[in-house]
Amino acid sequence: MNELLDMGGYAIFVWSSYGIFFFSLVIFFLINILNLRKYEKMYNNTIKKID
Amino acid sequence: MYIKINNNHIELIKSANPYLIFATIFVFIIGLYYSLFQSPPDYIQGDSMRIMYIHVPSAWFALMTYSILAGSCVLWFITRNPLFNVVARSIAQVGMVFTLMSLITGSIWGKPTWGVWWVWDARLTSMLILFFLYIAYIFLWQAISNKELASKISAALAIIGFINIPIIKFSVDWWNTLHQPASISKLSAPSIDISMLIPLFIMTIACFLFLVTVSLIRFRLVLIENKMLRTSN
C-alpha cells in the first residue's frame, strides 16, 4: 500500500495530476447538469407564464 | 440537407444519459485500476509515466473536439442549419476542459521528466494557443448580443483557428522540441509496450464516454438557451 502511495518517489506529481484531472471533470459535469436543470425550470416557468 | 431536432430526439438523448454516466464511471474505474495498479513503471521515467494515461487522452480529445468544432462551423456557414451551431457550442467547453487538463497534467509530468514546469517550445505553445482559441470562441459568442452576428464571428474564428491543429500535430516533427514525438501512429507499430497500451486504451474510451455524455448534456442546455432567446425576442 505504501509503495502505491509513494509512486516510486513521484507521489506528489502522479496523485496531484490524477486529483486535478478527476476533480475538474466532476466539477465540470456537475456545473453542466445543474445548469441544465436550472434552464429547464426557467424555460418551463416562462412557457407557463405565456400560456 | 436540413436536419431538425424534434422532441423524440431530445427524449432519446435524455433516456441515454443515465446509461452513459454509468458507462463513463465504470470504464474510468477499470482504467484507473489498470493505470495505477496493473501497468508497470517505465524503466527510465519510473512511476511518473502514469501521468501519460490521463495526459495523452486529454490531448487527443482536445484536438479531436476542436476538429469537430471547426467542421460544424464550416457546415453551419454552408447550410445555415442551426443544428451545427448548437453542436459547436455544445462541444466547445468540453474541448476547452480537455485542453486545460492536457496542459496541466503535461506541466506536472514535465517537472520530474524535463526538470521544468513549462518551456515555450512548439508543442506546448501551440497547445496553449488552442486553449485560448477555445476561450475566444466561447466568450465571443457570449459577449456579442446580436446572436446571428455572434455565430458568424465565432464560427469564423473557429475555422481560422483550425490552422493550429496540424501545427500541434506535426510540431514535434517540424521543430526541435523538448516534447517527445508520437508513440502511437497510424502508419507504424506503437513504440510503447502492450502493458502500457491497454490502460491508455481504456482511459481513452473513458474520456471519449465523458466527452459524449457531457456534450449531450450541453446539447440539451444550448437548445433550451436558444429557445429562451427566441421566447424573449
Side-chain angles (χ1 to χ4, degrees), chain B:
Chain B
M1 183 180 61
Y2 202 94
I3 310 157
K4 211 167 180 314
I5 291 288
N6 58 36
N7 281 343
N8 290 341
H9 295 124
I10 299 295
E11 284 306 315
L12 188 70
I13 293 171
K14 249 186 192 177
S15 58
N17 205 33
Y19 299 105
L20 279 168
I21 293 170
F22 175 77
T24 307
I25 295 169
F26 182 70
V27 180
F28 261 131
I29 290 170
I30 297 173
L32 273 175
Y33 173 72
Y34 272 89
S35 305
L36 298 171
F37 297 95
Q38 283 292 312
S39 159
D42 181 67
Y43 82 107
I44 293 174
Q45 298 185 43
D47 284 294
S48 72
M49 175 279 305
R50 294 183 199 279
I51 299 170
M52 174 186 75
Y53 302 127
I54 48 175
H55 171 73
V56 172
S58 299
W60 281 343
F61 288 115
L63 300 190
M64 193 190 91
T65 307
Y66 196 88
S67 304
I68 298 170
L69 169 69
S72 301
C73 290
V74 169
L75 288 171
W76 178 78
F77 263 120
I78 295 168
T79 64
R80 292 295 160 142
N81 185 338
L83 175 68
F84 296 116
N85 192 13
V86 173
V87 170
R89 284 175 51 214
S90 306
I91 60 167
Q93 287 193 10
V94 195
M96 187 195 73
V97 168
F98 274 125
T99 312
L100 183 64
M101 287 306 104
S102 162
L103 286 167
I104 292 174
T105 55
S107 177
I108 297 172
W109 193 11
K111 183 63 182 167
T113 313
W114 303 332
V116 285
W117 296 101
W118 182 265
V119 279
W120 292 100
D121 85 351
R123 171 58 69 88
L124 277 72
T125 309
S126 53
M127 272 311 273
L128 186 65
I129 291 170
L130 181 71
F131 178 64
F132 290 137
L133 280 168
Y134 273 120
I135 289 184
Y137 176 84
I138 293 161
F139 284 98
L140 259 179
W141 202 91
Q142 286 175 353
I144 303 169
S145 53
N146 178 342
K147 291 306 170 195
E148 181 64 25
L149 182 67
S151 299
K152 277 182 195 166
I153 294 176
S154 52
L157 173 96
I159 294 165
I160 294 165
F162 184 73
I163 198 160
N164 191 40
I165 298 297
I167 293 175
I168 295 172
K169 175 82 181 77
F170 298 108
S171 56
V172 285
D173 304 318
W174 292 342
W175 292 287
N176 208 357
T177 68
L178 208 53
H179 196 283
Q180 67 167 74
S183 303
I184 297 168
S185 140
K186 278 183 203 163
L187 302 173
S188 56
S191 59
I192 61 174
D193 189 73
I194 188 77
S195 59
M196 294 170 181
L197 262 184
I198 292 169
L200 182 61
F201 179 69
I202 298 170
M203 288 302 266
T204 304
I205 293 173
C207 286
F208 177 73
L209 285 168
F210 179 84
L211 172 76
V212 174
T213 306
V214 181
S215 296
L216 287 177
I217 289 169
R218 287 201 45 77
F219 185 81
R220 284 162 59 199
L221 181 63
V222 173
L223 278 178
I224 293 173
E225 269 180 2
N226 282 0
K227 279 181 189 172
M228 287 179 74
L229 275 172
R230 277 200 301 271
T231 315
S232 64
N233 289 335

